[in-house]
Amino acid sequence: MKGQKRIKVLMAMPALESHTRGLFTVASMFRDAGMEVVLLGNELPERIVDTALQEAVDVVGISTYCGSPVVFGRDLLKYAEDKGIKKNTAFIIGGIFPPKDEPTLKEMGFCGVFPPGPGATREKIIACVEGAVKK
Amino acid sequence: MKLVNKILRGDVGAASRLMKDIEDEAPDATDELKKLYPHTGKAYVVGVTGAPGVGKSTLIDTLIKVFCQGAMKVGVIAIDPSSPFTGGAILGDRIRMKYFSKDQSVFIRSIATRGWTGGLSKHTLSMIHVMDAMGKDIVLVETVGSGQVEIDITKIADTSIVALCPGGGDEIQTMKGGILEAADILVVNKADREGADDLKLKLEIMINRRIYSPDQWKPGVFLTQASNGAGVAELMEEIFRHKDFLITSGGLRANREKRARIGLHEAIRSYVENYISEKIANNTYLDNLISDIAERKTDPYSAVSEITDKLIGTTIK
């Protein structure tokens, strides 16, 4: 019974998103990979961070396609820094946004960035999360 | 500052980290719980159980709101099932709990059952202790969606609410043993749906069929619509009416003892289990016993006596 450590992920999306398919699909992938996934849905960056703090998650996953991943990501990571969870939490983001945003998002602190394309597969997303948590 | 002091001051990050250690069964967690325990015993524990999809999470969301309006600090432990196949879990209660308190006086924690049955998770009681020590006035515990026999919640809650919604079967269902017998308050949620009044009536008939002595609590049936909050203020009043009843009847003290008993049993069980897995299961002793049992050289019943004698024979007898 001992050592039942499991990766815990918080899945959320910016407040004005309306499509849940991406979020639910990735959440199910994580569940099938043996992780515990807290579904939050649409939220503001502050509340996503507050929730991550209360839930003591290892990973925060953002699904977005409303067109402002950089602005949203910056706010999110700033609050995470303020609340002291940025260092010990892995942040990943995926959805429909221009691949040219990828370097900016990575520089900001997202360890996994998944714009549309061959990079966003089940294996790659899960490997990214597992690798980030091990660190 | 020490972790315990931080938690006593209501520090969310500290409490959250300890809860994680408790769930992961980190060795230090028990020591921290030892230090916290003297500061617990103040929070009032309300359990909410019922079948999947009746609206437990939404009901809790509206309860959080009315408790907060009453200037109470609220903790929520929301439990969802782990997959028996992969061990993963979707913790999907919190997505319904949108009531926002800016001062972080509402602390919601989602946990997975991790193989535990009975409607709770193995560490629910310890989680309650942490929220209690943080200074929460009310701790709401949402069980996994349960059917008939998952009544563990009634062993640890002061007030147990069983939520139902229309469309769940006929009168025979209300006559069966199990969870309906264990409720302190029955809620018919989604009361705008057809059949709600009928279900309320059937539940009241069920209650009236039982015999209550004057000093016994008789459960009431309440109609709610959690999605718009209708009936939830009345539900809160009933929770406090039950609390007052427990205080005057001595039931609150009995509940504390009940919880202490469960906590102790659980701690012993967990200790023995760990002891077995560390000290016995890792050598050939069990393998030899198993092969002896398979070959009928001994039987499982004698083998158990042999093991338990080894475990506790020298210390307790």
Side-chain angles (χ1 to χ4, degrees), chain B residues 44-87:
Chain B
Y44 193 76
V45 182
V46 177
V48 179
T49 188
V54 297
K56 295 183 292 298
S57 306
T58 313
L59 199 61
I60 285 182
D61 184 46
T62 47
L63 279 171
I64 293 171
K65 194 174 163 191
V66 290
F67 284 133
C68 281
Q69 283 162 353
M72 280 170 269
K73 292 191 186 118
V74 184
V76 179
I77 296 166
I79 307 162
D80 263 330
S82 297
S83 160
F85 304 104
T86 65

Side-chain angles (χ1 to χ4, degrees), chain A residues 26-39:
Chain A
V26 177
S28 303
M29 280 181 196
F30 287 151
R31 185 205 63 189
D32 291 343
M35 302 178 198
E36 294 177 348
V37 187
V38 181
L39 291 183

Side-chain angles (χ1 to χ4, degrees), chain B:
Chain B
M1 205 194 304
K2 280 186 180 152
L3 187 73
V4 171
N5 293 336
K6 282 187 181 171
I7 292 171
L8 292 176
R9 287 180 180 208
D11 184 310
V12 173
S16 173
R17 274 196 304 280
L18 177 58
M19 286 181 171
K20 187 178 176 63
D21 285 346
I22 292 169
E23 267 201 290
D24 291 345
E25 305 191 348
D28 297 347
T30 315
D31 290 333
E32 299 296 341
L33 277 170
K34 279 181 198 169
K35 292 179 219 154
L36 275 187
Y37 195 79
H39 305 282
T40 62
K42 294 176 210 93
Y44 193 76
V45 182
V46 177
V48 179
T49 188
V54 297
K56 295 183 292 298
S57 306
T58 313
L59 199 61
I60 285 182
D61 184 46
T62 47
L63 279 171
I64 293 171
K65 194 174 163 191
V66 290
F67 284 133
C68 281
Q69 283 162 353
M72 280 170 269
K73 292 191 186 118
V74 184
V76 179
I77 296 166
I79 307 162
D80 263 330
S82 297
S83 160
F85 304 104
T86 65
I90 293 289
L91 309 174
D93 292 328
R94 185 165 197 141
I95 198 166
R96 322 275 176 199
M97 300 176 190
K98 292 291 188 189
Y99 182 74
F100 181 43
S101 72
K102 271 210 163 108
D103 56 357
Q104 290 247 16
S105 68
V106 180
F107 185 161
I108 303 171
R109 181 63 169 233
S110 317
I111 52 180
T113 53
R114 297 194 180 181
W116 201 246
T117 55
L120 302 177
S121 87
K122 183 176 176 185
H123 303 292
T124 310
L125 205 51
S126 305
M127 299 282 188
I128 293 173
H129 291 327
V130 178
M131 290 202 173
D132 193 342
M134 283 179 84
K136 299 299 174 200
D137 302 299
I138 304 267
V139 177
L140 292 155
V141 181
E142 176 176 348
T143 72
V144 302
S146 15
Q148 295 171 324
V149 294
E150 295 92 338
I151 62 158
D152 280 3
I153 183 64
T154 62
K155 298 178 197 155
I156 63 168
D158 292 308
T159 297
S160 298
I161 300 173
V162 176
L164 301 96
C165 67
D170 64 4
E171 197 176 347
I172 306 297
Q173 299 303 334
T174 69
M175 293 162 66
K176 293 182 182 173
I179 207 157
L180 289 175
E181 292 177 287
D184 299 309
I185 302 171
L186 287 152
V187 169
V188 177
N189 192 35
K190 307 190 186 183
D192 52 327
R193 287 201 183 170
E194 198 186 327
D197 291 321
D198 187 46
L199 176 58
K200 181 172 187 275
L201 182 67
K202 279 174 189 154
L203 291 168
E204 282 166 347
I205 292 171
M206 166 195 88
I207 292 163
N208 287 322
R209 224 180 255 136
R210 300 183 199 148
I211 297 156
Y212 290 89
S213 60
D215 57 346
Q216 241 182 327
W217 174 259
K218 190 175 173 180
V221 186
F222 289 79
L223 293 172
T224 59
Q225 293 174 52
S227 55
N228 64 16
V232 175
E234 291 80 358
L235 175 60
M236 184 185 74
E237 279 169 27
E238 181 73 355
I239 292 170
F240 286 117
R241 209 169 69 81
H242 184 236
K243 185 183 178 186
D244 289 342
F245 168 83
L246 288 178
I247 291 169
T248 46
S249 68
L252 207 58
R253 158 94 202 144
N255 279 351
R256 305 273 130 120
E257 229 161 77
K258 201 166 64 173
R259 278 207 287 273
R261 183 178 298 274
I262 288 169
L264 181 61
H265 282 188
E266 181 42 44
I268 294 171
R269 211 192 52 74
S270 174
Y271 179 85
V272 172
E273 223 172 57
N274 287 338
Y275 187 89
I276 290 173
S277 67
E278 275 167 22
K279 297 277 159 72
I280 297 181
N282 286 339
N283 60 35
T284 51
Y285 174 70
L286 271 201
D287 292 339
N288 293 339
L289 263 184
I290 288 165
S291 99
D292 284 353
I293 294 167
E295 285 167 27
R296 303 301 189 270
K297 286 182 191 160
T298 182
D299 59 89
Y301 318 103
S302 313
V304 167
S305 307
E306 194 184 313
I307 292 170
T308 47
D309 281 354
K310 273 190 200 302
L311 277 179
I312 56 173
T314 50
T315 48
I316 290 187
K317 264 179 200 167

Side-chain angles (χ1 to χ4, degrees), chain A residues 39-104:
Chain A
L39 291 183
L40 188 61
N42 299 85
E43 273 308 343
L44 298 168
E46 301 95 307
R47 287 208 61 186
I48 294 174
V49 169
D50 284 344
T51 305
L53 185 69
Q54 291 188 356
E55 297 283 359
V57 292
D58 306 293
V59 183
V60 173
I62 301 297
S63 165
T64 181
Y65 99 127
C66 69
S68 53
V70 172
V71 176
F72 181 85
R74 188 165 288 143
D75 284 354
L76 181 78
L77 293 171
K78 186 191 165 295
Y79 287 117
E81 178 115 58
D82 291 350
K83 292 276 181 174
I85 64 162
K86 189 178 169 190
K87 210 173 61 175
N88 296 322
T89 313
F91 287 84
I92 61 169
I93 187 166
I96 313 289
F97 51 82
K100 70 175 172 56
D101 286 342
E102 190 174 336
T104 321

